[in-house]
Amino acid sequence: MTTDETPEAVQLAANRAMWDERVPIHTASTFYDIPGFVAGADPLRSFEVAEVGEVTGKSLLHLQCHFGQDTLGWARRGATVTGLDFSVPAVEAARELAGTVDLPDARFFAADVYDAVKVLDGETFDIVYTGLGALCWLPDITRWAETVAALLAPGGFLYLSEFHPITDVFDENGLTVTTDYFRRGPMSWDEPGTYTDATVETENNLSYEWQHGLGEIVSALIGTGLRLEFLHEHDFSLFKRFTSFERSTDGITEVYRFPAGQPRVPLMYSLRARKSS
Ligand SMILES: C[S@@+](CC[C@H](N)C(=O)[O-])C[C@H]1O[C@@H](n2cnc3c(N)ncnc32)[C@H](O)[C@@H]1O
């Protein structure tokens, strides 16, 4: 077996093929609404903007940036942005979008997260931003945390906003626990379509995901020496995760919540962890 044929390499290659195929579907989708973004709509969620704070003049690295819409959202707010994603079509689309919205200084790199330090040649950043369906694609959360810490400049911080891992244990109603919170190791899926269009025909449908508990994620970050400044658990999600969800607005962001009267669990979380200066 050569290095490229390790189970992890095979799994990541399947994931990359799956993501590569979905990039043009996503860029054409109403879900991502590129025309709206080009016209000036802000793709960032209001809670993220509030929790990250002022970014003007700061360098920001977006890990797993997909086709860069959120990355460019931070650029519009004044950050000097760099995006990194292992999907070449995603990075090409990000560069094209940066040209369309006249943000030529935005840089995008095609690389695995775990290779980010090497690919970025040791460059460090004021802010590392990531999340919203990112960590589940990574097999090793300790290696991820070490990578993030190495990418941060002294005094810089990681801002992570993610879907809460507890939501993975419930049935589609969000009422009954059907899956073990502590399951680990790769889970494989073989499903056509994508979250922007479940009915679209796709060929590369095999993917692998890894479930990471909240405690593991926080402990991995603290273990690198980063100082946790907050960990917020949110009672909203960004999509209709469970059938009972009702749509509401949280400031300017469309969100989904359990109906009034139904007991709640956290649906998302966000955290900020800072490197000492
Ligand atoms: C759900 S998307 C993230 C969505 C993103 N928050 C956005 O702006 O829409 C997950 C992204 O992770 C990328 N990805 C998955 N595994 C990766 C890895 N090991 N290294 C780098 N990027 C990866 C995929 O190519 C995809 O663009």
Side-chain angles (χ1 to χ4, degrees):
M1 187 183 276
T2 67
T3 319
D4 284 350
E5 291 165 343
T6 62
E8 189 178 299
V10 170
Q11 291 152 3
L12 293 178
N15 284 354
R16 200 161 47 239
M18 189 276 291
W19 281 110
D20 286 353
E21 188 182 5
R22 279 150 183 79
V23 170
I25 301 168
H26 289 186
T27 53
S29 70
T30 52
F31 180 96
Y32 280 106
D33 186 22
I34 287 187
F37 173 68
V38 171
D42 187 354
L44 301 169
R45 279 58 45 183
S46 41
F47 72 97
E48 295 182 306
V49 171
E51 292 180 340
V52 168
E54 181 60 55
V55 298
T56 303
K58 301 218 168 115
S59 58
L60 181 148
L61 171 65
H62 184 181
L63 293 176
Q64 294 176 253
C65 66
H66 204 26
F67 64 88
Q69 190 161 253
D70 288 353
T71 326
L72 297 170
W74 291 114
R76 275 187 178 159
R77 290 182 168 271
T80 303
V81 301
T82 304
L84 181 140
D85 197 286
F86 74 173
S87 165
V88 170
V91 164
E92 287 172 351
R95 289 179 183 143
E96 189 182 328
L97 188 57
T100 304
V101 295
D102 200 21
L103 290 167
D105 294 338
R107 300 179 302 165
F108 291 94
F109 292 83
D112 194 286
V113 163
Y114 297 124
D115 295 329
V117 174
K118 189 173 66 184
V119 168
L120 294 167
D121 204 17
E123 186 176 342
T124 56
F125 298 85
D126 298 323
I127 302 168
V128 172
Y129 165 74
T130 190
L132 304 181
L135 296 196
C136 61
W137 303 105
L138 303 181
D140 185 336
I141 217 64
T142 302
R143 194 152 43 115
W144 166 79
E146 288 165 356
T147 303
V148 167
L151 290 163
L152 282 171
F157 65 83
L158 163 73
Y159 178 75
L160 167 68
S161 65
E162 261 298 2
F163 300 106
H164 202 295
I166 194 68
T167 57
D168 292 330
V169 308
F170 297 103
D171 66 355
E172 61 179 21
N173 299 316
L175 292 171
T176 308
V177 175
T178 55
T179 307
D180 186 0
Y181 180 81
F182 294 99
R183 74 183 160 169
R184 296 293 178 262
M187 298 168 291
S188 66
W189 310 95
D190 196 351
E191 291 175 350
T194 174
Y195 53 86
T196 67
D197 183 354
T199 62
V200 69
E201 283 187 24
T202 48
E203 283 176 9
N204 298 305
N205 300 326
L206 183 61
S207 68
Y208 297 87
E209 292 185 40
W210 290 263
Q211 192 168 297
H212 307 291
L214 189 56
E216 277 178 75
I217 295 161
V218 169
S219 298
L221 290 169
I222 292 171
T224 67
L226 296 183
R227 183 168 49 85
L228 189 65
E229 294 188 326
F230 60 75
L231 166 60
H232 295 152
E233 293 177 295
H234 304 286
D235 72 346
F236 56 80
S237 190
L238 301 179
F239 67 107
K240 204 168 191 301
R241 181 73 173 80
F242 300 119
T243 49
S244 63
F245 271 9
E246 291 175 352
R247 200 164 172 178
S248 58
T249 50
D250 172 51
I252 55 166
T253 302
E254 289 283 326
V255 295
Y256 294 84
R257 289 187 163 91
F258 286 110
Q262 184 171 328
R264 296 169 296 166
V265 294
L267 301 168
M268 299 193 69
Y269 69 96
S270 51
L271 66 80
R272 202 169 66 198
R274 194 178 294 272
K275 190 167 187 168
S276 69
S277 46

